[in-house]
Amino acid sequence: MLPRGRPRALGAAALLLLLLLLGFLLFGGDLGCERREPGGRAGAPGCFPGPLMPRVPPDGRLRRAAALDGDPGAGPGDHNRSDCGPQPPPPPKCEPQVSWIPNKHYSGLYGLMKLVLPSALPAELARVIVLDTDVTFASDISELWALFAHFSDTQAIGLVENQSDWYLGNLWKNHRPWPALGRGFNTGVILLRLDRLRQAGWEQMWRLTARRELLSLPATSLADQDIFNAVIKEHPGLVQRLPCVWNVQLSDHTLAERCYSEASDLKVIHWNSPKKLRVKNKHVEFFRNFYLTFLEYDGNLLRRELFVCPSQPPPGAEQLQQALAQLDEEDPCFEFRQQQLTVHRVHVTFLPHEPPPPRPHDVTLVAQLSMDRLQMLEALCRHWPGPMSLALYLTDAEAQQFLHFVEASPVLAARQDVAYHVVYREGPLYPVNQLRNVALAQALTPYVFLSDIDFLPAYSLYDYLRASIEQLGLGSRRKAALVVPAFETLRYRFSFPHSKVELLALLDAGTLYTFRYHEWPRGHAPTDYARWREAQAPYRVQWAANYEPYVVVPRDCPRYDPRFVGFGWNKVAHIVELDAQEYELLVLPEAFTIHLPHAPSLDISRFRSSPTYRDCLQALKDEFHQDLSRHHGAAALKYLPALQQPQSPARG
């Protein structure tokens, strides 16, 4: 009989995830194989330090997409800010310590990196949990952490016995495994007492053992696991045997049924066959469905505090709770207030991503989207050959659909310079500016093109923008926002212009219009399209009420105001802030971007139909001006008339 298992948290973690998990959460420092000064203290013995839900599919395709779901602190006036910039890859200082070991395992060099953890991690870090990328948690990870309490005074490594006959050497003729104690142990789930391993001389211990065995064996077959087992056979007092349910191994030759047929509850499922979910096993359908259930599980239900360990609340958490407690559910704008205070789960770099090489004038296209705009991605990739940073607002189930969508698209699968950041859906209103800030914070180039997903840029725009930035001397010499004139077509099929000449012909023929010409012309009127038709050089325009152009700015530009959720004034407020900070607005004469038609969003429909919605937007505008006045003083009076203008319900 198969155990039912109680799904609590899905997890998968590799060495990188371990470093993030314990190095940053406990110590707040960076990690390398040279020891750093510790930046904090370890958690209390027997306690796991925080509510973590690492999320990585165990199919071997997304090994680099590890991320942690946590609750970042946010104060009432600064919610959902994405101020933390993208982290550089860890320094490759550990690699030389293991690169001399021949390894036939498909994990390659990184399959040996667990061996160097005692020297790689901070000296004051005493305990760690190490997980492979192909495990699924069916229990609270704090229960695993609690097993450290069962270690004797000499035990330093907690492992589950290997659930196959691999180390008995009888799987096939001339099978020569590395030495092991009995069936040996599987290193997909490890509890390490780093302090004791350091005291025992772990580094010298494993090196001597590996060198000796490699005199008679050509290579490791199971990477670090072979060396761990050879050391344990010589020093059996180091190991603490963990219950089998903490590493139920679904390998090609598994004997795990002996474990789970007797167990009342599963803890960790380990897909340790190279075939992963496609492994041959008479019960694999149960385990596969168990895993797939988690992929569509609402991760917001798993967000909770762990009360078993005393810990300090994150910065701003108390102010956030106070602000939430002060909300009045009878307030007509309650949804707006609540959405502003929502701290979303964010999975930065959801798919493998290759950072662009450093270029002084490079530009990243920054945009946000939801599930109903996925169809725009392929066309956008064809139009924009440069790097992109995209924030996607998805449920957990939609995130898996997005994954399959990318895998099935040759265009998207080939683009490694597009960074996708999933912000998990929560709340009734679309957090448009919070999404923009996530994408903006993760851009890696000196400049960003702040666009929307339903626009296609000119085919030549990427190269033209880089050349314009260089020619205009932007950056330290000139503080400017480059305006990319926006147009639209009302046709679902039309021939995209390859040049300004072709665009003007379509404009004259009535196939194209200046953006929102029929519904909200004031949004882009200051661009001065009549002048643009004849312009041969960039020209300066002045800010005007409700101006919301698409611009290219330095990466360190002001962030979007996150109070604007749903529809209305989200871009306008950003352009106001740029003008208040004295950015020049320069229109580029050869640049253009074209909006494609689509069904109106729910938020636009609510804006058009609900006077209450529009009243709440006006309240947000009033608060925005109050904050603007505090930051810019009398200069903010310039914007007061624009903020007091009523919003037309016809606006699209």
Side-chain angles (χ1 to χ4, degrees):
M1 176 179 175
L2 290 171
R4 294 184 178 180
R6 297 190 302 276
R8 297 180 187 170
L10 168 64
L15 175 61
L16 174 60
L17 181 56
L18 170 78
L19 302 183
L20 290 169
L21 179 106
L22 292 160
F24 285 101
L25 289 180
L26 292 180
F27 286 85
D30 60 346
L31 296 166
C33 279
E34 294 179 0
R35 292 181 182 172
R36 270 50 168 191
E37 290 296 320
R41 61 178 181 85
C47 291
F48 191 74
L52 301 172
M53 292 167 285
R55 311 287 301 276
V56 181
D59 54 10
R61 292 170 294 179
L62 303 177
R63 301 181 192 281
R64 295 161 50 202
L68 290 177
D69 292 337
D71 289 346
D78 193 24
H79 308 294
N80 296 288
R81 288 289 299 273
S82 300
D83 292 330
C84 54
Q87 297 297 322
K93 299 178 182 178
C94 304
E95 297 178 8
Q97 297 195 29
V98 294
S99 59
W100 58 273
I101 303 172
N103 178 26
K104 294 190 293 185
H105 193 256
Y106 62 85
S107 60
L109 175 66
Y110 292 96
L112 298 161
M113 299 297 278
K114 297 174 195 172
L115 296 167
V116 305
L117 290 179
S119 59
L121 294 172
E124 290 190 8
L125 188 57
R127 300 173 176 85
V128 294
I129 293 174
V130 190
L131 304 172
D132 276 358
T133 56
D134 51 5
V135 299
T136 300
F137 262 83
S139 183
D140 195 321
I141 196 171
S142 66
E143 296 178 22
L144 178 59
W145 185 267
L147 296 181
F148 275 118
H150 299 284
F151 280 42
S152 70
D153 292 339
T154 60
Q155 290 170 338
I157 307 172
L159 294 166
V160 172
E161 186 178 57
N162 198 51
Q163 294 167 359
S164 78
D165 288 340
W166 177 273
Y167 286 107
L168 298 182
N170 57 10
L171 292 182
W172 59 80
K173 187 177 180 181
N174 299 325
H175 175 212
R176 290 188 59 208
W178 278 55
L181 191 65
R183 291 188 181 278
F185 296 89
N186 183 278
T187 57
V189 177
I190 317 177
L191 300 185
L192 288 183
R193 283 295 303 260
L194 298 175
D195 51 350
R196 293 178 182 174
L197 289 175
R198 292 170 186 136
Q199 292 170 6
W202 169 253
E203 186 171 352
Q204 183 181 15
M205 191 183 298
W206 73 258
R207 283 177 176 274
L208 289 175
T209 300
R211 291 188 186 281
R212 184 183 65 246
E213 297 302 328
L214 286 170
L215 294 175
S216 57
L217 293 165
T220 60
S221 296
L222 301 180
D224 65 88
Q225 182 170 300
D226 285 340
I227 298 176
F228 268 97
N229 274 290
V231 172
I232 288 171
K233 183 167 186 181
E234 287 187 60
H235 307 276
L238 288 174
V239 70
Q240 160 70 20
R241 293 175 181 265
L242 303 181
C244 66
V245 292
W246 283 105
N247 187 350
V248 176
Q249 301 149 39
L250 301 182
S251 63
D252 293 319
H253 306 285
T254 184
L255 301 173
E257 186 177 359
R258 299 176 183 177
C259 173
Y260 59 73
S261 63
E262 302 294 329
S264 61
D265 196 9
L266 296 180
K267 302 295 185 181
V268 176
I269 301 166
H270 187 186
W271 304 85
N272 61 321
S273 165
K275 301 170 186 174
K276 304 307 176 191
L277 296 180
R278 297 182 295 275
V279 66
K280 300 296 183 182
N281 180 291
K282 65 180 179 180
H283 296 132
V284 71
E285 197 63 27
F286 167 83
F287 292 108
R288 186 185 294 121
N289 289 337
F290 188 87
Y291 165 70
L292 294 176
T293 298
F294 279 114
L295 296 186
E296 300 192 0
Y297 198 83
D298 183 357
N300 292 322
L301 300 177
L302 302 175
R303 300 176 74 183
R304 63 182 179 86
E305 294 292 336
L306 293 181
F307 296 102
V308 295
C309 299
S311 61
Q312 293 294 323
E318 292 183 5
Q319 296 94 316
L320 177 60
Q321 291 302 318
Q322 291 172 4
L324 288 168
Q326 292 171 2
L327 293 181
D328 180 6
E329 294 191 20
E330 302 300 321
D331 181 356
C333 301
F334 173 76
E335 285 186 347
F336 285 83
R337 309 295 184 192
Q338 186 183 46
Q339 191 73 62
Q340 294 169 35
L341 295 172
T342 300
V343 179
H344 293 271
R345 293 180 296 131
V346 179
H347 190 150
V348 172
T349 316
F350 185 73
L351 298 180
H353 173 242
E354 290 291 340
R359 298 190 184 102
H361 308 108
D362 207 359
V363 184
T364 294
L365 187 149
V366 170
Q368 43 72 37
L369 67 151
S370 53
M371 194 69 180
D372 59 347
R373 298 288 190 268
L374 283 188
Q375 73 278 3
M376 291 295 302
L377 290 178
E378 286 192 349
L380 183 59
C381 283
R382 293 188 179 101
H383 279 250
W384 183 269
M388 288 188 271
S389 180
L390 305 177
L392 298 92
Y393 194 50
L394 306 174
T395 64
D396 291 76
E398 288 173 341
Q400 297 308 309
Q401 295 173 35
F402 166 67
L403 171 63
H404 297 314
F405 180 83
V406 173
E407 290 173 341
S409 166
V411 175
L412 300 182
R415 289 293 297 270
Q416 296 295 302
D417 57 350
V418 180
Y420 301 102
H421 316 293
V422 173
V423 178
Y424 287 96
R425 183 183 294 274
E426 185 173 3
L429 296 171
Y430 190 74
V432 56
N433 277 357
Q434 299 167 17
L435 296 172
R436 287 175 171 141
N437 285 341
V438 168
L440 180 54
Q442 300 304 319
L444 298 173
T445 57
Y447 298 91
V448 289
F449 173 34
L450 305 178
S451 185
D452 276 336
I453 197 64
D454 40 13
F455 278 82
L456 290 181
Y459 286 108
S460 60
L461 185 61
Y462 174 60
D463 291 332
Y464 177 62
L465 290 179
R466 290 188 297 163
S468 298
I469 290 168
E470 183 176 13
Q471 292 169 5
L472 292 169
L474 297 193
S476 58
R477 288 192 291 159
R478 193 171 189 181
K479 189 176 181 181
L482 305 182
V483 175
V484 176
F487 299 84
E488 68 176 341
T489 179
L490 304 181
R491 302 182 182 184
Y492 283 89
R493 300 184 66 179
F494 86 111
S495 179
F496 197 94
H498 286 77
S499 66
K500 180 177 179 178
V501 172
E502 291 185 14
L503 181 140
L504 291 176
L506 293 173
L507 195 64
D508 293 338
T511 303
L512 288 181
Y513 302 91
T514 58
F515 186 53
R516 290 294 183 254
Y517 171 79
H518 299 90
E519 298 168 321
W520 190 247
R522 69 182 69 177
H524 291 263
T527 298
D528 194 350
Y529 288 97
R531 183 177 179 183
W532 183 81
R533 292 181 68 106
E534 308 297 332
Q536 301 293 321
Y539 58 91
R540 185 171 182 177
V541 296
Q542 299 298 318
W543 174 88
N546 298 300
Y547 194 28
E548 50 179 358
Y550 294 94
V551 296
V552 177
V553 288
R555 183 179 59 190
D556 60 356
C557 69
R559 292 321 191 230
Y560 288 88
D561 192 313
R563 87 184 77 212
F564 291 103
V565 296
F567 178 79
W569 250 71
N570 44 76
K571 291 195 302 292
V572 175
H574 189 243
I575 298 300
V576 167
E577 184 63 42
L578 291 178
D579 186 68
Q581 295 193 25
E582 300 181 338
Y583 278 73
E584 288 184 84
L585 294 171
L586 297 175
V587 181
L588 297 175
E590 299 295 327
F592 61 86
T593 186
I594 300 177
H595 179 265
L596 300 187
H598 57 76
S601 68
L602 175 62
D603 284 307
I604 292 178
S605 300
R606 293 181 65 185
F607 171 85
R608 290 171 172 169
S609 62
S610 171
T612 300
Y613 193 105
R614 296 194 293 275
D615 290 343
C616 291
L617 178 58
Q618 184 61 50
L620 296 181
K621 291 165 63 178
D622 293 340
E623 294 169 8
F624 171 74
H625 187 260
Q626 292 171 13
D627 288 342
L628 202 66
S629 299
R630 279 192 288 269
H631 290 128
H632 300 288
L637 293 173
K638 167 184 177 181
Y639 310 104
L640 188 57
L643 290 155
Q644 293 175 340
Q645 290 181 4
Q647 293 281 114
S648 168
R651 183 186 170 190

